[in-house]
Amino acid sequence: MVDTHGQEALGDLLRHNRLAVLMARGLARDMTLPDRLKTIVAESRTLALQFNSRNLLTIRTLAPMLSAASIPFVVIKGPLAQQLAYGDFFAKPSSDVDVLVSNEVFVSARNCVLGAGYELPEPCASPWWRIFLGEQHLLTDNVSLATVDLHHRTQQPGCPTPRRPALFLTEPHLVRLGEIEVPILSKINAILLACVSVAKALVHREPAGGYAADIAAQLLALSPLELQGLFVAAIEQRLSSTLHLGLRAAALMFGICVQFPKTPRVVLDAISDRGLLSMLLTPAADDVGWPKRRALLWALCDAKFQYPVEVGWALSSEICRRIYNAGEGE
């Protein structure tokens, strides 16, 4: 039996990694949770129902508008991705709706969302958000709808950037939502994006257990041919090391192992399995032995020339951020 302190620690881990509902679903039917963990699971289920219902209504509102404007898009993350991975729209709380478009149609897509009663906050209109983060938050006063994060990039400075972000828009999977079908990432691209999210979480020292769960669940749904396609796509996007990191995370946490086409190098091989688990699940703990961020970036770059390019991009981003913040302070 886990004592009260242990229940609180486990509860914090589950909440921060958005794993409470999935953990409860994975238990044997005859297993009984301690009272405190029951409460934490119930709270997470309630949040998932509240947030994700609002997200689904937002998607049903915006998706037909984007389609009518002939704007190619995919909804990434959130309840639709959870339906594909877990067969459930309410597996994890998701506070925002994330929509990915190409850079070429980003302004048109933003205007479309603004036409639905959304507003662009002044900070998000800065070049740092638009160019370097590759996204903008669009807010609404309608309490029935969620914030929309409109993206044209799928990774932030400081992590390896996909070589061709537009490939994430190709061959989307369609999820039926009432009377409409909404495009989401293909199974292969969904796994790649989850691996990208693991890398970003480690660089920013944020919990990544939920992303590892997404990788594990979606790997189980791949056919052998699709698995080969995953490795091909990772190579094409220069995300092989990022993929290897995500697969290592899924193997450590959930025992989901896949057969590589060839023996790969171990990403972050100087970090033990126990150390990586701590980085993934409890990044704020005092005893986590974090490598330098530049060491993480070096480990995740597929090619030698990629590292200086990514460093230059990250430095440019930081300069832009500081210039904008200094201007705001005047």
Side-chain angles (χ1 to χ4, degrees), residues 206-244:
E206 298 170 347
Y211 301 126
D214 294 343
I215 296 167
Q218 292 169 121
L219 281 174
L220 292 173
L222 291 187
S223 68
L225 184 60
E226 289 170 330
L227 183 59
Q228 294 302 312
L230 173 63
F231 291 110
V232 171
I235 292 170
E236 186 172 5
Q237 291 280 43
R238 295 199 189 107
L239 292 174
S240 290
S241 297
T242 299
L243 173 62
H244 292 159

Side-chain angles (χ1 to χ4, degrees), residues 138-158:
L138 303 172
L139 309 181
T140 178
D141 292 332
N142 188 336
V143 295
S144 298
L145 300 179
T147 295
V148 173
D149 289 348
L150 185 65
H151 301 255
H152 65 84
R153 292 170 58 86
T154 51
Q155 186 55 288
Q156 294 182 0

Side-chain angles (χ1 to χ4, degrees), residues 45-66:
R45 282 182 173 142
T46 299
L47 286 176
L49 182 61
Q50 291 175 344
F51 289 165
N52 294 14
S53 294
R54 187 172 60 180
N55 283 5
L56 292 171
L57 178 58
T58 302
I59 294 166
R60 288 192 64 177
T61 301
L62 296 179
M65 298 177 65
L66 292 167

Side-chain angles (χ1 to χ4, degrees), residues 31-279:
M31 291 184 68
T32 302
L33 285 172
D35 290 341
R36 180 56 186 146
L37 290 181
K38 281 183 182 178
T39 300
I40 290 168
V41 170
E43 290 172 349
S44 294
R45 282 182 173 142
T46 299
L47 286 176
L49 182 61
Q50 291 175 344
F51 289 165
N52 294 14
S53 294
R54 187 172 60 180
N55 283 5
L56 292 171
L57 178 58
T58 302
I59 294 166
R60 288 192 64 177
T61 301
L62 296 179
M65 298 177 65
L66 292 167
S67 297
S70 300
I71 297 173
F73 73 96
V74 289
V75 177
I76 59 177
K77 309 176 186 177
L80 299 188
Q82 293 172 33
Q83 173 64 21
L84 180 62
Y86 306 106
D88 183 358
F89 289 115
F90 307 102
K92 297 185 291 185
S94 182
S95 57
D96 304 324
V97 171
D98 292 275
V99 178
L100 176 66
V101 299
S102 68
N103 187 43
E104 290 74 17
V105 301
F106 184 85
V107 173
S108 297
R110 184 183 64 198
N111 290 340
C112 188
V113 177
L114 293 175
Y118 279 78
E119 295 181 355
L120 175 64
E122 185 175 350
C124 294
S126 74
W128 182 62
W129 276 86
R130 171 69 174 84
I131 298 172
F132 291 98
L133 295 188
E135 64 179 279
Q136 290 180 321
H137 294 332
L138 303 172
L139 309 181
T140 178
D141 292 332
N142 188 336
V143 295
S144 298
L145 300 179
T147 295
V148 173
D149 289 348
L150 185 65
H151 301 255
H152 65 84
R153 292 170 58 86
T154 51
Q155 186 55 288
Q156 294 182 0
C159 301
T161 304
R163 187 167 67 93
R164 295 174 60 192
L167 286 180
F168 282 93
L169 292 163
T170 59
E171 300 181 356
H173 182 84
L174 297 178
V175 175
R176 177 156 290 280
L177 192 57
E179 70 282 3
I180 65 173
E181 288 187 323
V182 181
I184 67 173
L185 293 172
S186 69
K187 289 190 285 185
I188 287 174
N189 283 330
I191 293 175
L192 281 181
L193 184 64
C195 293
V196 163
S197 296
V198 168
K200 181 170 67 174
L202 291 186
V203 167
H204 293 285
R205 301 185 180 181
E206 298 170 347
Y211 301 126
D214 294 343
I215 296 167
Q218 292 169 121
L219 281 174
L220 292 173
L222 291 187
S223 68
L225 184 60
E226 289 170 330
L227 183 59
Q228 294 302 312
L230 173 63
F231 291 110
V232 171
I235 292 170
E236 186 172 5
Q237 291 280 43
R238 295 199 189 107
L239 292 174
S240 290
S241 297
T242 299
L243 173 62
H244 292 159
L245 173 63
L247 296 182
R248 185 182 174 195
L252 283 176
M253 287 186 57
F254 301 100
I256 305 300
C257 300
V258 298
Q259 184 66 44
F260 287 92
K262 59 181 181 179
T263 303
R265 67 185 181 90
V266 179
V267 178
L268 300 177
D269 56 346
I271 298 174
S272 67
D273 288 349
R274 181 175 180 179
L276 182 56
L277 277 174
S278 296
M279 292 166 60

